[in-house]
Amino acid sequence: MSPPEHFLVAYEINPWMRADQPVDRDRAVRQWDALRTALLDLGHHVHVLPSVAGLPDMVFAANGAFSVDGIVYGARFKYAERSAEADAHRAFYESAGGWKFVPPTQINEGEGDFAYLPGRGLILAGHGFRTETAAHAEAQEVLGRPVVSLRLVDERFYHLDTALAVLDDQRITYYPGAFSASSQRVLAQLFPDSVLADEADALAFGLNLVSDGHNVLVNTEATAYADKLTAAGYHPVPVDLSELKKGGGSVKCCVAELRAA
Ligand code: ARG
């Protein structure tokens, strides 16, 4: 995670961002800290990547890379405003030790558009707005896992992690309307037992969640969606990230998951 000490809506690269919208940075830091504390309370270890002045979106750490079994496929951001973030993430993995970092040649925004299902050894990957399909092929070569390409069609859900999340080893949750008709068929074929979300759930950033297989950290606004998680046997833990939503992100965007070897 990277603290929102320099968070700002300084440019508009997704429909949620309004450059004229004031941001309460202290409040953003408090909300981010509550998320970090919630992760610690659940027994996770959290590495903090220092924020960098001039990189106002760096709080969205999920976009910095994508790791599977100790191999890290680096990010290459679509927009110049964020491109330097990739170097900070690369430096983290290279100095931490134990990771094999592979620099990308293709545009991809890390875990924003890549998800991993450990129980099936499968990578799910989004394209349409940020990550390019050539990066899906590159990720498959780098990580040695099959990549299922999914096309996003609704610009409000511009990253895969705004429309789909992994709940446990086998199961996913998603909002079908964010995907092309063909990608919806692919998801229905591969994951018939998914927890389905509706448009309101997705707009409340409910799908931008982090799950440990039972406890699911989920945006507070997504109350109806949290009830669906409960009905499916999970334990939702609400987290208020309203300030960061002004940048177009919530829980998952703030957390880069480290899948060690
Ligand atoms: N303002 C950021 C952008 O548009 C938000 C990124 C959200 N991160 C995510 N993993 N969905 O790039």
Side-chain angles (χ1 to χ4, degrees):
M1 296 179 72
S2 181
E5 285 157 354
H6 299 285
F7 176 59
L8 204 63
V9 184
Y11 45 80
E12 298 177 2
I13 56 172
N14 70 55
W16 301 88
M17 301 176 87
R18 293 278 168 265
D20 53 2
Q21 198 178 21
V23 164
D24 182 339
R25 200 177 282 155
D26 292 340
R27 189 158 178 263
V29 170
R30 283 196 302 277
Q31 291 179 340
W32 177 89
D33 217 50
L35 170 60
R36 193 179 64 93
T37 303
L39 284 163
L40 295 173
D41 288 348
L42 290 171
H44 297 287
H45 187 78
V46 179
H47 297 271
V48 175
L49 188 62
S51 60
V52 176
L55 295 177
D57 269 335
M58 198 170 162
V59 61
F60 301 117
N63 299 125
F66 175 55
S67 62
V68 175
D69 294 341
I71 304 175
V72 186
Y73 178 51
R76 186 167 162 201
F77 285 83
K78 173 165 179 174
Y79 296 107
E81 290 92 333
R82 296 196 67 188
S83 62
E85 292 178 42
D87 305 328
H89 286 267
R90 177 179 186 158
F92 167 80
Y93 290 103
E94 287 182 340
S95 67
W99 299 95
K100 180 183 177 228
F101 184 91
V102 182
T105 66
Q106 305 298 329
I107 289 175
N108 83 88
E109 299 200 345
E111 284 199 320
D113 276 319
F114 288 109
Y116 184 61
L117 268 127
R120 313 228 339 215
L122 260 192
I123 294 169
L124 305 183
H127 68 96
F129 298 102
R130 301 289 180 92
T131 297
E132 293 184 355
T133 49
H136 295 184
E138 189 171 52
Q140 178 166 292
E141 285 305 306
V142 168
L143 300 166
R145 299 286 187 178
V147 174
V148 178
S149 280
L150 302 164
R151 187 156 79 89
L152 296 162
V153 295
D154 182 332
E155 64 169 358
R156 296 170 300 173
F157 311 114
Y158 57 93
H159 274 143
L160 183 71
D161 72 1
T162 63
L164 179 150
V166 173
L167 286 171
D168 58 37
D169 274 8
Q170 305 280 347
R171 205 169 190 201
I172 64 165
T173 177
Y174 65 99
Y175 165 50
F179 297 91
S180 69
S182 295
S183 292
Q184 289 181 37
R185 286 187 52 171
V186 169
L187 286 168
Q189 179 187 324
L190 288 175
F191 304 104
D193 68 338
S194 298
V195 177
L196 295 184
D198 63 21
E199 184 183 30
D201 300 331
L203 286 172
F205 268 88
L207 293 162
N208 197 246
L209 59 79
V210 171
S211 175
D212 64 10
H214 177 62
N215 303 290
V216 184
L217 296 162
V218 60
N219 192 32
T220 28
E221 287 167 68
T223 48
Y225 177 67
D227 291 343
K228 292 175 191 173
L229 289 174
T230 305
Y234 299 93
H235 176 241
V237 180
V239 188
D240 181 8
L241 289 172
S242 52
E243 218 48 48
L244 294 172
K245 196 180 171 190
K246 295 176 181 173
S250 185
V251 178
K252 173 60 213 170
C253 299
C254 293
V255 179
E257 290 172 58
L258 304 178
R259 296 178 199 81

